[in-house]
Structure formats: C-alpha cells, structure tokens
Amino acid sequence: MSLDPYKIKRTLNTPKGPLSYWSLNELKETGFNIDSLPFSIRILLENALRNFDDFAITKEHIETLANWTPAPSDKDIPFKPARVLMQDFTGVPAVVDIASLRAEAVRKGKNPNNINPLIPVDLVIDHSVQVDYFGTNYSYQKNVDLEYERNGERYQFLKWAQKAFDNFSVVPPGMGICHQVNLEYLAQGVISRDGNVFPDTLVGTDSHTPMVNGIGVVGWGVGGIEAEAAILGQPIYFILPEVVGLKLTGTLPLGTTATDMVLTITQLLRKHGVVGKFVEVFGNGLDNLTVPDRATISNMSPEFGCTVTYFPIDARTLDYMAKTNRSTDQIQLVEEYAKANMLWRTGEDKIKYSSVVELDLATVEPTVAGPKRPQDKILVREFKQKFGEILQDAHGREYIPIDKREEGRWYEEGGSQPSEPKTETEAEIEYETKVKNGLKTVVVKLNNEKFALYDGSIVIAAITSCTNTSNPSVMLGAGLVAKKARERGLDVKPWVKTSLAPGSKVVTDYLKSAGLLEDLEALRFHVVGYGCTSCIGNSGPLPKHIANAVEENDLIVSSVLSGNRNFEARVHPQVKMNYLMSPMLVVAYALAGRVDVDLLNEPLGYDPNLEPVYLKDIWPSNDEISEVMRKVLSPADFEKSYGEIFEGDDQWKNLNVPQDEVYQWSEESTYIKEAPFFDGLSEMVSDSKDILGAKVLLKLGDSITTDHISPAGSFNEHSPAGKYLIERGVDRKQFNSYGSRRGNDEVMVRGTFANVRIKNQLATKEGGYTTHIPSGEEMSVYDASKKYREEETPLIVLVGKEYGSGSSRDWAAKGTTLLGIKAVLAESYERIHRSNLVGMGVLPLQYLPGENADFLKLTGKETFSILGISDGLSTLKTLQVEAIKEDREKVNFQVICRLDSAIEVEYYKNGGILHYVLRDFLKK
C-alpha cells in the first residue's frame, strides 16, 4: 500500500540532516487551492497526508481537508497528534485506565506490555498544591510538605507509570504549570522523528492546552478518554471545523495589558459564537504582540468556546524561541520547514475564513470579568456601579456606598484600630454584626486588630494561572505596582488572603533579578507553590476568623485572581463573587480590599500621612516595564530551570515505587483503584437497545459546567464522598480534594453532580440533591441513583444550553455513566464534554431548534422512552422520545442523536472509546 498517494513526499536539508516531509506546495501543484486554506487547516491536512493508511485515514479524509471551504460541513476528519500533554488531576485517571487495560489483558491471557503509549506523553504535576499557608517566607515549603503528605500515593503511582510505560515522562511537583512548561520548553514548533519532519501538534487533558497555539503549535484540550485513545494509536475524529478569522489591528493603549485584551476578546468571540470552531488570528496587530501576549489569548480558547486560537509561525515566534533557550538548530529547522511547507505567516490576504471578527486593539480598556463567567466583561471604570447592580439582581441586597454606611470609612481605609496587646497564646476573635437595608457589616476583632467586612470585601487575591504568569510584562508589572505601593506606605488589607503561584521557576528568577519579589512579599504575595492553585480551586481554607464571619453572616465576599475560570464555587466554596483580572490589578484591588471601589477616581488607600494614593500613582508606564524586562530576561534562566525539569526535589527522589509491569492494586487504597469499566469485558459487541422507562435524575438550566458535574475542589464529611472516606478511616483533614481522588471511582461517582452551587429543579435544596420520583423522597444524587439501580430503572438528565462548558474533565462523563445515566438531553453542548459522553457510552441527545424542556412543558417527573436506537444508529440520526406524565398524558417529540461521526457510532455501540480500543487489541 502506498503511503504517499499524491506523490508529494520530498526531502528538506536541515541542520539536523536530510528529512522527509509531505509537501503542501507539491499538493498545490496537483490542483488544490492550498493558498486559500487557513494555516490551521493546512496543519490538519499535512497530518492526514502523513498518516494516510487507507483504513483509518483515507483519501476521502485528505480531500475533505484539501477542499475545505468556509461553509459548515458535516464530514468528519481524523487527527493523530504528535504527542500528548497531561496534568495530574486528569492524568492519574488516564493512567489508571491504561493500567486497568493491562490488568484486563492479563486476565484474558494477553501480553500486558503490548499496551503502551505509542506517542510521547508528558505529564506535569501541577494541580495538587493547595494554598494552606500564605503570606510568609515558609509558605512554599509547608505547602509542598502538605502536598506530598496528601498525594504521596498518587505520586508513587505516577512514578511507577514512568518506569512501567514506554514514551511516558513525568514532570515532578514544584516545577510549573503544564501549559507554561509546554510553551516555554516542551513545544518545539516542528518535530523531527524517524527521519521525517512535521508540525508539532498535540492534544492535552486540560482544556487550556490551546495556550501553545501562541507559538504556532496546533493543539487543543480533550477529555482523558480521547487522550488515552490517541496514546494507544487511535485517530481522534471530529467534524471538519469552520475557521473564524480574528483580525487584530492597532496597538494596545498605554495603561492596558494583555489580560485586558484577552477578556475583551472573550466577550467578543462568545457573542459571535465560536463553539466547536477554530479561530485563527491575523492582521497587522499581530506585529505588536509578543508570543506571551498571543499565548494569553490562545490560553482562553475554552472561555471563547472554540477549539483552537491559532497564531501562525512568524519572526516573533523565532524570537521567543531564542529567548527561551531553544537551540539554534531547532529554531533554524522551524523557520526552514515553515517556509518550505506553506506554514509561515504570509499571504494572509488570500486566506478565506468562515467569518471574520475584528478588534482594534486601541479600543481596549482596563477590564475585569465576573462574577461567575469569564465572558462577563466589566470595564474597570464601571466596576463599582456593576457590583451594586449584581448585588441587587443576583442576591437581593441593596447596595449602600461605603461613605453612607454607619461605620464610615475608618475600618475600610485605615484597616485596623489598635487595642490592648494580646497576652493569650490562642487568637482572640470577636464579631459584631450590623444590618442596614439588607446590607451586612461584620466588625471583626482579631487580637489587636479591628476591621469591617462587607458584601464586596475581597478575601482572596491570587496571582495565579498560566494565562498570566507566562507573560513577563504583567508579572513584572505586578512587581512594579507592589514596589510603588510600598514606596507610598500602602499595605494589603488584613482580611485578604494573598498568594503568588508562578507557572514556572523562571518567573521567580526574573522577579528576584529585578528586585521585585521582595516588594511582592512585603505585600504578602509570597510564592505559595508552582501550580494552578486558586485557578483550579485549590485556594485552601480562608483564615478561621474570616471564614466564620462569612459563613455565619452570609456575606457576599469576592475573590480577585489572574486566572481563566471563575465559575460558581470553583475558586472557593464560601466566595460567591469571583473576578478575573491582570496580576497588576490583583495587587491594586488587594490594596483596596474591596471590589466596590472606582479605582480610576477613588483612592486605593491612604499613606501614613493620610494623603490619598490613587491607582495612577502606583501604575508603571509601559517604558518602565519594558526597561525591566530588557534587563532581567535571559535564556540562561530558562536553561537553568528546564535543565533540571525532570529531576524533582528530594521528596520526589525518595519515593519508592514497585517494579511490576502490571500495577498491583491495593484494597486498602482510597486514592488508586482499578477502573471498573473493563473488568470482564466481553469480546463481542451486543446490539444497542432503546432506552425504556427512564426517570430523570436531574433537571438543570443553562451553562452547566463540568465543575457543576464533577467538582475538583474540597468536600466535607457530610457529602456522600466524605461519608465513604470516613467509613474507611480517613480523617477529615486528609480528604484532600475531588481532583486528587480521581484515581478512585468510588469517591468520584459520589462526587458527580455534588457541586455545592448546582441547582437541580427536582430538589428544594441547592447542591447535589434530587428527588427520587417514585417515592417523592429528597436525597443526594448518589443515593437516588443507587435506589434507581436497585429498581433497574435507567436514568436521563434534562439540561439547557452550553452543557458541559469549562474544563476538559473526563470524570464528568465517567461519573455520569457510573450513576446509571444512559442519555443526556440538552439544548446544546460544549465540544469536549459531548465527545466525552460518547466516549463513556452515554448518548448525547439534542432538542430540535427552538425546543427545550419548558417549550415541551416537561417537569422532569415524567417517564421517558427513547426510541429508534435499536433500529440502528447513524450520524446525527433523529430519534423519537415519548414522555409519560404523572397523569398518564403523553408528550411525543423528536431529538437529534449527537453521534457526530461514523466512528462515534462505533464507540457508542462498544460502550465507549476505550472499550472499542480494548476489543480491537484483544482481536490481535
């Protein structure tokens, strides 16, 4: 069989010797209009040409890509990434699955070593460190010690996998955030392997994988399920995407940041509608954006809703590669290959896009986003007014400006009053609560300090997340804000929990070199760890006196963070308002201590002489930032940090791991259990059947995120997951988080739909509750699912628009199937979660346009039958639904079965993608 059906394979002489490549220029000569294709489509086309085998990847696939047009298509295409990126929250369950496949292979008499990653996998441990300690020079070490104490078993498991599997590398804890490590080190732009040269591409088990699009690498987030299939050699299939052109012109105004820009773009693209589409950036505005600026934009692709936000390779790309210590030979290879194979940024005027969205960068203003969605943009100049409106609309409380409250401005602006010195060893805490027009004021007396907390008080200020910590301009800018604030005698308010969590050690090095880490630490922004921290929900507990004041008085407090996600209950379960912003604004708002302040016109605070200090007084100029960057950024910092990236600290080195090829599961473990999905899997596929007599487990509204479905944060002893651990002798202090327990299906199924803010219309209480319809009894979602299982009743979920938005979280699908849910009926889906549902054998159904549960007058108490499955499934088939109400009235309607490709039909028939892969392996 020919592997070059169009005879376009050519040789490129490179610094690494002669390498073969599949030439798009030569394909163009055969009659295809390659010049009109977006660069991202060209990369998918090259991928199909190179991986052509006339079985999984056919000439039809190639010509579908080569003939791409701006119009929507229903044709599916294959993609085989060059590598896979993982983080530990999603990586542990993926490794558990592969280890479980090995275990099942042994039970069936097969060689377990035949189940191995077929492409390189890099797993970066970055999601587990929590901010238990802050504001001190010992915070980092104590947080790391706790991280190992909580996660030692998980880390031993990952270290075992590194030894047991081929092509599997682990970046130990404390080295950085996976996407920043990817951008600064792992991504090569172009890969040379087995005598061939081709574009660096990847999928990652984290939704922010597209960050690497900023360096010219096509990659996106997938669920762990899809990633596992790719690791085991399966192509990823998806519908040929539309490509939206994002045209950037002009230059950012003075006083604005890349964060302001990306939050502006988030709202712009959400309004345009880019879910499931590619976005490609062009225009003269690119000339003014560094790769870190571009990566800031690409990072928030999931918040836009798109699959990728691609920046073609150009001179800026090569400049960044040089600054981050890529080798001269590698940089030359990237340039020569990109120019030889039509992947260099040129000829933009010939490219056709499905639609074009334009943004003049000169119109960007200082911006924040929140309080619970990244696309809810608020201009800083309007923030105070918007806060009052949100407080009234969302929480029913009338906003009273601070100067009209009984306490006046003393506590807020002065921060504290002295009292008698403390003599007791234990902290003394007193509270006094006052209510005026529904607005609460809680005066907190802690030892010799006294301050007031209000609705809108900031209790968490976190410089975190690869979105911003990868960008030296905003990180050094934050340091300069801190420096100038110190010079004016300002300090962070005492009720604010501060943290600095860089995405790589390079950041700490250049902050130290600039002398700015000292300034940040003076404001209690000490390094707390190298990981996602507050952005993933690992904010740690609030100080006891703050937590009590918030809990007992139902205060609507806020967090400010330089992250990319601010969904309900994600940052911290006690914090109901969460605002995204630049690291520089995080420092500024921490100084103010509240969000209901007009930063552009009101003082941040007062200096020791009671002179007002305004934001303009401490905001650095662009020239100041550029000058510091020029002085302190050096390839040597990247060489130092990444030269030891895989070594780890002494705790990592001292972890003892078993040498077995097949993992020895422990019955005593509450972290790592064999996955239940493959044990005893039959080698034959049974016929798909109609879903008959189903009950609704949950009826939900719009914008249900994967955080709602499978939360990553902490949980208490009263939750089903907490009760499970208590029964097994685990102390409450050792619960850790849902994210860290993803290697144990028993914990995770109990945590599915257990978000404390989820609102199920079948329950009277907020949180993970539902009503068991036959008995009318209200109980936890997990307990109800057990009763339904005992009654042999299949389950479905009714939901609104944008179901499954947010992180690429495979447990949102795994937990769904383990609860006994056979189908989800939604108005629309986010791409990754729909795919994950298919990958776990759950049928994603979609209402016809214009219809939903309210339109059909469905209450969720009906009995449902989904018909037409047993007749045979095909892509996007229309199925019949019969809903029988409690009074026996029938409602009949049609739905679209969202199996979007022929391979997805096969995955569903097999019970999931890994079941398909295992059966294929067993046949061989």
Side-chain angles (χ1 to χ4, degrees):
M1 181 194 303
S2 171
L3 297 179
D4 183 19
Y6 299 92
K7 309 300 181 189
I8 60 169
K9 192 174 180 181
R10 297 292 182 268
T11 299
L12 184 68
N13 291 315
T14 76
K16 300 187 178 185
L19 297 169
S20 298
Y21 74 104
W22 281 255
S23 171
L24 298 182
N25 261 314
E26 294 298 327
L27 186 65
K28 174 182 169 183
E29 294 302 315
T30 68
F32 294 104
N33 186 10
I34 309 299
D35 287 318
S36 68
L37 298 181
F39 290 103
S40 50
I41 296 296
R42 297 180 199 183
I43 290 173
L44 296 182
L45 174 58
E46 187 281 338
N47 191 282
L49 286 163
R50 177 168 38 86
N51 290 297
F52 170 78
D53 60 5
D54 207 24
F55 174 65
I57 301 175
T58 65
K59 285 186 72 172
E60 181 182 358
H61 289 134
I62 291 170
E63 294 184 9
T64 295
L65 283 158
N67 292 314
W68 181 91
T69 66
S73 170
D74 61 357
K75 294 185 177 181
D76 64 292
I77 55 169
F79 175 65
K80 296 191 79 170
R83 57 191 179 92
V84 170
L85 178 70
M86 292 183 168
Q87 37 91 338
D88 56 299
F89 268 21
T90 50
V92 166
V95 177
V96 165
D97 285 347
I98 296 174
S100 299
L101 289 173
R102 274 194 173 186
E104 183 64 12
V106 169
R107 286 192 287 265
K108 289 196 163 41
K110 304 290 184 179
N111 182 358
N113 289 326
N114 289 339
I115 294 180
N116 254 313
L118 300 178
I119 55 176
V121 180
D122 293 294
L123 188 151
V124 182
I125 299 175
D126 64 0
H127 271 51
S128 295
V129 63
Q130 297 187 35
V131 188
D132 291 279
Y133 293 89
F134 72 101
T136 58
N137 59 7
Y138 60 75
S139 298
Y140 170 74
Q141 191 57 54
K142 282 185 175 287
N143 287 331
V144 169
D145 291 344
L146 275 175
E147 179 184 2
Y148 272 94
E149 181 182 327
R150 291 167 175 150
N151 299 285
E153 186 182 345
R154 297 170 64 241
Y155 294 170
Q156 282 179 315
F157 178 64
L158 292 176
K159 200 170 178 183
W160 166 83
Q162 184 170 235
K163 289 180 176 293
F165 295 143
D166 298 336
N167 293 319
F168 189 85
S169 299
V170 176
V171 175
M175 304 308 292
I177 300 174
C178 64
H179 306 304
Q180 189 161 340
V181 172
N182 194 22
L183 183 75
E184 295 177 350
Y185 176 69
L186 296 173
Q188 297 301 304
V190 167
I191 289 175
S192 57
R193 185 185 298 163
D194 300 328
N196 299 318
V197 59
F198 48 88
D200 183 3
T201 58
L202 73 149
V203 292
T205 60
D206 189 278
S207 53
H208 293 97
T209 300
M211 181 173 183
V212 78
N213 300 163
I215 200 174
V217 173
V218 165
W220 61 85
V222 296
I225 303 156
E226 276 186 297
E228 292 162 43
I231 289 168
L232 297 173
Q234 290 293 306
I236 293 171
Y237 293 90
F238 59 105
I239 296 292
L240 182 69
E242 296 178 54
V243 182
V244 176
L246 174 60
K247 184 177 183 180
L248 300 182
T249 58
T251 307
L252 286 172
L254 296 177
T256 59
T257 66
T259 317
D260 302 322
M261 172 179 63
V262 74
L263 295 178
T264 301
I265 291 171
T266 302
Q267 185 187 59
L268 185 69
L269 291 181
R270 269 287 172 184
K271 284 185 175 179
H272 183 77
V274 295
V275 173
K277 301 174 184 178
F278 280 20
V279 171
E280 189 165 293
V281 191
F282 70 105
N284 59 33
L286 268 68
D287 299 330
N288 304 311
L289 296 181
T290 64
V291 164
D293 292 338
R294 298 174 182 188
T296 298
I297 296 172
S298 294
N299 177 280
M300 291 192 72
S301 296
E303 284 66 49
F304 309 158
C306 61
T307 307
V308 301
T309 305
Y310 185 69
F311 289 81
I313 294 170
D314 63 7
R316 287 276 195 176
T317 313
L318 304 184
D319 177 61
Y320 178 77
M321 287 184 163
K323 288 179 177 176
T324 51
N325 199 45
R326 268 75 171 196
S327 71
T328 302
D329 284 356
Q330 181 63 29
I331 295 168
Q332 188 177 337
L333 176 65
V334 171
E335 180 174 10
E336 291 177 359
Y337 175 78
K339 288 180 175 178
N341 213 20
M342 302 183 72
L343 297 177
W344 185 262
R345 184 184 152 222
T346 187
E348 291 178 335
D349 55 317
K350 298 176 183 178
I351 295 175
K352 296 178 181 177
Y353 294 107
S354 303
S355 58
V356 173
V357 180
E358 296 191 34
L359 175 65
D360 180 356
L361 296 177
T363 65
V364 171
E365 297 185 50
T367 299
V368 303
K372 59 181 181 180
R373 297 193 309 176
Q375 64 263 40
D376 293 334
K377 168 188 165 185
I378 302 173
L379 297 176
V380 169
R381 60 181 168 84
E382 298 175 348
F383 195 3
K384 182 177 180 178
Q385 174 193 336
K386 289 286 186 183
F387 170 80
E389 294 172 0
I390 294 166
L391 192 66
Q392 176 68 56
D393 295 343
H395 301 284
R397 299 186 184 178
E398 179 186 351
Y399 175 68
I400 303 172
I402 192 165
D403 56 358
K404 292 184 171 59
R405 299 173 196 168
E406 289 181 20
E407 287 69 29
R409 289 163 45 182
W410 171 256
Y411 294 132
E412 193 67 36
E413 302 299 351
S416 66
Q417 278 184 319
S419 63
E420 304 80 22
K422 181 176 78 73
T423 58
E424 289 82 5
T425 55
E426 293 296 320
E428 299 172 357
I429 306 172
E430 297 177 12
Y431 303 99
E432 181 184 357
T433 304
K434 299 180 181 180
V435 182
K436 182 177 180 181
N437 295 335
L439 187 75
K440 292 187 177 181
T441 300
V442 181
V443 179
V444 181
K445 181 183 177 185
L446 174 68
N447 301 327
N448 64 341
E449 279 190 316
K450 203 177 198 181
F451 52 81
L453 291 175
Y454 307 94
D455 293 336
S457 292
I458 294 167
V459 295
I460 292 175
I463 299 176
T464 181
S465 173
C466 50
T467 310
N468 286 289
T469 68
S470 61
N471 196 328
S473 66
V474 292
M475 294 302 290
L476 290 166
L480 288 168
V481 170
K483 179 176 186 291
K484 290 169 179 283
R486 282 185 76 194
E487 291 169 351
R488 288 300 305 268
L490 295 187
D491 199 357
V492 168
K493 295 297 186 283
W495 54 86
V496 182
K497 181 175 183 176
T498 48
S499 60
L500 169 61
S504 76
K505 290 191 171 181
V506 173
V507 179
T508 311
D509 289 340
Y510 67 62
L511 284 172
K512 282 181 180 176
S513 297
L516 297 175
L517 188 61
E518 178 184 341
D519 295 301
L520 286 163
E521 289 177 345
L523 299 185
R524 303 202 305 278
F525 282 98
H526 292 75
V527 172
V528 294
Y530 295 90
C532 302
T533 61
S534 291
C535 193
I536 187 61
N538 287 349
S539 299
L542 295 176
K544 183 180 177 181
H545 59 290
I546 303 296
N548 289 346
V550 172
E551 192 71 26
E552 294 171 10
N553 296 280
D554 192 27
L555 290 178
I556 311 297
V557 292
S558 299
S559 75
V560 294
L561 67 155
S562 62
N564 46 47
R565 292 274 165 81
N566 55 348
F567 301 135
E568 288 182 290
R570 179 185 176 97
V571 176
H572 192 285
Q574 290 183 295
V575 181
K576 294 182 179 178
M577 290 189 174
N578 303 282
Y579 294 97
L580 307 180
M581 58 188 65
S582 72
M584 299 162 74
L585 283 176
V586 168
V587 176
Y589 276 103
L591 294 166
R594 55 193 176 94
V595 294
D596 59 324
V597 57
D598 180 357
L599 275 195
L600 302 185
N601 297 297
E602 296 176 12
L604 287 168
Y606 293 82
D607 69 15
N609 300 303
L610 296 184
E611 292 291 330
V613 181
Y614 294 87
L615 182 65
K616 64 184 179 182
D617 299 326
I618 63 170
W619 197 264
S621 69
N622 290 11
D623 288 343
E624 286 179 276
I625 295 172
S626 297
E627 177 64 16
V628 175
M629 287 174 62
R630 186 186 63 77
K631 288 180 179 178
V632 303
L633 293 182
S634 165
D637 288 335
F638 292 88
E639 181 180 15
K640 171 177 170 287
S641 290
Y642 289 111
E644 55 190 28
I645 187 71
F646 294 107
E647 292 181 13
D649 60 15
D650 289 341
Q651 294 188 78
W652 176 261
K653 292 174 184 175
N654 293 332
L655 285 176
N656 293 318
V657 297
Q659 304 299 314
D660 308 85
E661 294 171 342
V662 178
Y663 191 72
Q664 302 303 307
W665 311 100
S666 169
E667 291 293 327
E668 303 303 314
S669 175
T670 58
Y671 273 104
I672 305 296
K673 283 180 84 274
E674 182 176 357
F677 311 114
F678 319 114
D679 189 7
L681 181 77
S682 66
E683 297 190 33
M684 300 298 294
V685 180
S686 58
D687 294 334
S688 299
K689 298 177 180 179
D690 292 341
I691 299 169
L692 304 175
K695 292 292 187 181
V696 177
L697 187 60
L698 300 102
K699 183 173 183 283
L700 304 167
D702 296 338
S703 300
I704 297 299
T705 70
T706 51
D707 277 287
H708 287 116
I709 304 167
S710 183
S714 60
F715 52 95
N716 64 36
E717 65 272 25
H718 304 297
S719 65
K723 290 176 183 177
Y724 167 84
L725 292 177
I726 291 288
E727 289 169 2
R728 279 147 188 81
V730 179
D731 185 76
R732 169 69 180 86
K733 294 179 180 178
Q734 300 300 319
F735 278 10
N736 212 333
S737 63
Y738 281 121
S740 67
R741 296 270 179 185
R742 287 179 182 162
N744 184 334
D745 61 278
E746 295 283 6
V747 172
M748 296 310 297
V749 68
R750 288 165 171 79
T752 304
F753 295 108
N755 185 298
V756 296
R757 295 282 175 260
I758 195 168
K759 299 174 180 66
N760 180 10
Q761 296 170 28
L762 295 181
T764 60
K765 295 186 286 189
E766 186 178 60
Y769 296 96
T770 193
T771 297
H772 176 251
I773 302 298
S775 67
E777 184 182 353
E778 188 165 283
M779 60 187 71
S780 74
V781 168
Y782 173 72
D783 288 339
S785 75
K786 281 178 62 180
K787 287 183 75 73
Y788 282 123
R789 186 181 298 274
E790 291 166 3
E791 296 160 359
E792 298 183 349
T793 301
L795 300 171
I796 66 170
V797 173
L798 303 181
V799 70
K801 301 183 184 73
E802 298 178 348
Y803 184 60
S805 56
S807 300
S808 54
R809 194 161 292 172
D810 58 340
W811 261 109
K814 289 177 176 177
T816 296
T817 195
L818 289 178
L819 286 173
I821 295 166
K822 303 301 180 184
V824 175
L825 178 50
E827 288 184 69
S828 64
Y829 294 88
E830 289 287 92
R831 174 185 61 85
I832 297 174
H833 186 59
R834 185 206 61 80
S835 175
N836 279 348
L837 289 173
V838 177
M840 286 310 302
V842 178
L843 199 61
L845 305 174
Q846 189 163 319
Y847 294 103
L848 296 181
E851 294 186 356
N852 57 29
D854 291 340
F855 177 85
L856 296 166
K857 298 181 179 178
L858 302 174
T859 65
K861 295 183 178 180
E862 300 84 358
T863 300
F864 288 80
S865 293
I866 300 163
L867 310 173
I869 300 172
S870 59
D871 297 338
L873 289 168
S874 57
T875 57
L876 300 172
K877 181 179 179 178
T878 299
L879 300 177
Q880 306 296 318
V881 179
E882 179 184 81
I884 302 176
K885 293 180 174 290
E886 292 175 293
D887 62 3
R888 309 307 297 170
E889 178 189 350
K890 292 182 179 179
V891 180
N892 293 291
F893 58 99
Q894 295 182 325
V895 295
I896 301 166
C897 178
R898 285 296 308 277
L899 300 176
D900 288 359
S901 64
I903 193 66
E904 285 194 341
V905 173
E906 293 304 312
Y907 292 158
Y908 177 75
K909 288 178 180 177
N910 275 268
I913 189 169
L914 294 179
H915 306 71
Y916 174 89
V917 171
L918 181 57
R919 286 192 176 102
D920 186 57
F921 167 76
L922 293 173
K923 289 175 187 174
K924 299 174 182 177

